[in-house]
Amino acid sequence: MWYVIEGYDGQDVLAQRLAARPAHLARLHALRDAGRLLLAGPCPAIDAEDPGPAGFSGSLVVAEFPSLEDARTWADADPYVAAGVYARVEVRPFRKVLP
């Protein structure tokens, strides 16, 4: 089943985000390579493709996992969690309809 994982950035965490980004992306690439990633990306804190020093408000991942528990376990192990980037993470089931 598909699950949406939303990570919400804390305050002033851009430096931590940038430092943890390679490890974060490596995990997403592994999901992609396994055919389990629908989409992933950050949410700019301002209305701009590149928010610069404004940073990001969080990230969204939609990926396939065997269960909600597995999705939560994967989300809890995210390098952004370990680096203190995310103030909170929400995981819930997702049903893809379109496209």
Side-chain angles (χ1 to χ4, degrees):
M1 182 163 181
W2 295 104
Y3 294 88
V4 61
I5 300 168
E6 290 182 272
Y8 297 87
D9 284 21
Q11 295 294 313
D12 301 316
V13 295
L14 184 56
Q16 294 99 304
R17 176 183 267 275
L18 294 174
R21 187 170 190 262
H24 172 78
L25 289 178
R27 296 177 81 235
L28 292 172
H29 289 157
L31 285 177
R32 178 201 62 200
D33 294 349
R36 297 174 43 209
L37 183 65
L38 185 62
L39 67 92
C43 301
I46 60 172
D47 189 13
E49 184 74 22
D50 179 358
F56 299 89
S57 62
S59 301
L60 177 79
V61 174
V62 180
E64 188 175 34
F65 294 93
S67 69
L68 178 59
E69 181 179 332
D70 289 327
R72 286 183 175 145
T73 298
W74 186 90
D76 288 344
D78 194 297
Y80 283 173
V81 172
V85 174
Y86 292 154
R88 77 180 202 279
V89 177
E90 294 182 9
V91 181
R92 59 187 185 277
F94 178 79
R95 194 177 106 199
K96 183 179 182 279
V97 175
L98 294 171

